[in-house]
Amino acid sequence: MSADRPLHIVAPIYTYAPSVGGAQRLVASILEPLVARGHRATVITFNAANLPDLRRRGGAGLPASDVVNGVSIARVMPEGGMAGRVLEAWATHRMGGRLVKRLSGVDVPYWGSWPQALGMLRPLLAEPADVLLSVGWFARHVPLVHLVARWRGCPVVGLPLMHLSQPSAHWPRQRWLARTATRVVAMTEPEAVHLRGLGARQVDVIGGGVDSSWGRDASGAAWRAQLGIDPGTPVVGFVGRQVANKGATVLIDAMRRVWEVRPDALLLLAGRSRNRDAATTARLEALTPLERARVILVDDFADADTAELLAACTVIALPSVDESFGLVYLEAWMAKRPVIGADIPSSRSLIHAGHDGLLVGPHDVEGLAAALLRFMHDPGLAAAFGERGYRKVLEHFTLEAQRARWIALIEAVATPVG
């Protein structure tokens, strides 16, 4: 351990285990190696297993404290207790709401609804920290993290996870957050450029990563055989939150075009059933019985099954317009499958279009359908793209390399010079 003593890293984040998602997996991949190295790590989070729990009194009913893979978890209720009720009343009052909007640059309902940001204040003050990890700068609680850090004189490592195509990347408060962070970590170079423009003092680029042996024993053929899917049947895979901004609705619309040409093609939607939004549900319900029979829903699957699901697909389509990185792209490449993403800054920086994947315009149904058919009509092309993606992950995006960089960064920030 290069630090003189064991450190305590505190990471407030909207949701954590058992909640799943790219941000949750990323934070776990940062904290768990630090714990293995002899440091302490505490996550402060809302009592939620999925997004709907954040709007429910009492949340998910999970234990107030827990330990997962050595990381301590402190959970607070989404309603925020007395402090939350005060903020809700103030933010929804006509005069108080105007002041809140002037200070934050965000509309009043953002502050006046659940989960309440002030619910995290008590555990933030109660947990002594050598480093505060400021995660997800679209979240309500993040300014509290920076305020507490300044009051304590504690270093802050920012992990904004900015979605550059969304308004939240340009909120007025982001400039203050960037300037008050000791160091900021961007997932991609376009995000780093944006953060430097906001005035961040020091920006590191550390993308996501996957274990170099991830999916090595996965058998897509075995998974297809289990479901009775012929080896030659095209399968389009989508793994993640089935919501409009993540591209689930545009993918369903594109598949209706694909089925006009390739009626044998199947659509596989894999994710958490509680994270399927109303718009996606409505698209599925609008399908004809014949079309609906071509859709396979794999709900609430185990993480260990992800590799086999991806390996069973012909192509992985994730046309998300709300992305800070895109970890599933890496996993798809580890399964040697080509990917299709929306042409937004984060995906553009990760996918080499025409080499290991394809990019289509945001919400472009016809463009997405054409890209899907291109891979279906040319299996050799799909195999070549998948192989190139696989080599790229091993060269640039292994979890081992990313963990080493995070450990060095956290220990450097927390260790006094001299």
Side-chain angles (χ1 to χ4, degrees):
M1 183 187 305
S2 62
D4 295 334
R5 57 182 173 80
L7 304 173
H8 186 200
I9 302 95
V10 176
I13 183 174
Y14 249 28
T15 63
Y16 196 68
S19 176
V20 296
Q24 291 73 24
R25 293 164 62 191
L26 176 61
V27 171
S29 73
I30 295 167
L31 298 181
E32 290 173 10
L34 286 162
V35 170
R37 193 167 165 81
H39 299 304
R40 290 176 57 211
T42 299
V43 166
I44 302 172
T45 188
F46 291 106
N47 196 311
N50 49 57
L51 296 180
D53 289 339
L54 294 172
R55 306 289 188 266
R56 183 180 297 110
R57 184 175 295 278
L62 298 168
S65 60
D66 205 351
V67 178
V68 175
N69 295 332
V71 176
S72 299
I73 303 174
R75 298 188 179 97
V76 300
M77 294 303 172
E79 56 266 34
M82 177 60 74
R85 289 194 290 272
V86 171
L87 178 60
E88 184 175 1
W90 185 35
T92 53
H93 185 274
R94 183 168 59 88
M95 295 302 295
R98 288 179 180 174
L99 180 59
V100 169
K101 184 171 183 178
R102 176 179 289 273
L103 292 173
S104 66
V106 183
D107 63 359
V108 174
Y110 177 87
W111 292 106
S113 60
W114 295 358
Q116 279 294 338
L118 286 184
M120 284 196 178
L121 183 58
R122 179 178 293 181
L124 265 173
L125 293 173
E127 288 286 350
D130 295 293
V131 181
L132 280 165
L133 187 60
S134 171
V135 183
W137 286 7
F138 49 82
R140 294 176 175 89
H141 67 271
V142 172
L144 288 178
V145 177
H146 289 238
L147 287 171
V148 169
R150 293 189 74 177
W151 178 67
R152 286 182 166 178
C154 176
V156 176
V157 175
L159 182 58
L161 301 177
M162 283 188 169
H163 300 167
L164 297 180
S165 58
Q166 299 300 315
S168 59
H170 309 279
W171 286 345
R173 74 173 195 181
Q174 308 296 30
R175 188 172 299 276
W176 179 77
L177 293 176
R179 292 177 176 179
T180 54
T182 310
R183 285 173 76 166
V184 183
V185 176
M187 299 294 290
T188 64
E189 187 55 40
E191 185 185 11
V193 170
H194 180 68
L195 289 163
R196 293 184 189 110
L198 293 175
R201 287 178 284 174
Q202 185 171 350
V203 181
D204 299 83
V205 179
I206 306 177
V210 293
D211 192 282
S212 57
S213 62
W214 190 89
R216 180 175 294 167
D217 300 322
S219 174
W223 194 88
R224 280 180 173 242
Q226 183 180 350
L227 291 185
I229 301 173
D230 186 84
T233 298
V235 177
V236 176
F238 177 102
V239 179
R241 285 198 294 123
Q242 294 164 33
V243 299
N245 275 355
K246 291 293 185 180
T249 53
V250 71
L251 178 57
I252 294 170
D253 291 344
M255 287 302 297
R256 301 188 82 170
R257 272 64 165 187
V258 168
W259 287 324
E260 295 173 1
V261 181
R262 292 295 301 263
D264 60 327
L266 300 176
L267 171 62
L268 185 153
L269 298 175
R272 300 291 175 261
S273 56
R274 294 294 299 276
N275 288 340
R276 185 179 299 124
D277 68 0
T280 303
T281 300
R283 286 296 205 288
L284 290 171
E285 292 175 346
L287 297 176
T288 67
L290 184 58
E291 291 171 333
R292 183 62 184 81
R294 298 166 180 154
V295 179
I296 302 170
L297 295 181
V298 183
D299 289 339
D300 308 316
F301 59 94
D303 288 344
D305 295 335
T306 305
E308 287 197 349
L309 289 174
L310 293 170
C313 296
T314 306
V315 55
I316 307 302
L318 298 167
S320 172
V321 297
D322 195 14
E323 210 68 51
S324 60
F325 185 71
L327 188 60
V328 177
Y329 295 136
L330 303 188
E331 293 175 336
W333 282 328
M334 287 300 289
K336 298 188 176 181
R337 295 297 177 264
V339 301
I340 301 174
D343 193 1
I344 60 173
S346 59
S347 299
R348 194 182 310 130
S349 69
L350 188 59
I351 299 171
H352 184 177
H355 184 76
D356 48 39
L358 297 174
L359 293 169
V360 298
H363 311 293
D364 183 357
V365 173
E366 299 297 337
L368 179 55
L372 291 169
L373 287 169
R374 182 178 175 187
F375 285 126
M376 291 181 193
H377 291 331
D378 192 344
L381 180 72
F385 276 38
E387 181 65 34
R388 292 171 194 151
Y390 174 73
R391 291 199 299 267
K392 179 162 75 174
V393 175
L394 293 183
E395 290 173 10
H396 302 291
F397 296 105
T398 63
L399 194 56
E400 296 89 338
Q402 313 302 36
R403 283 173 173 169
R405 294 187 64 191
W406 269 105
I407 288 172
L409 187 153
I410 294 293
E411 292 182 347
V413 166
T415 304
V417 177

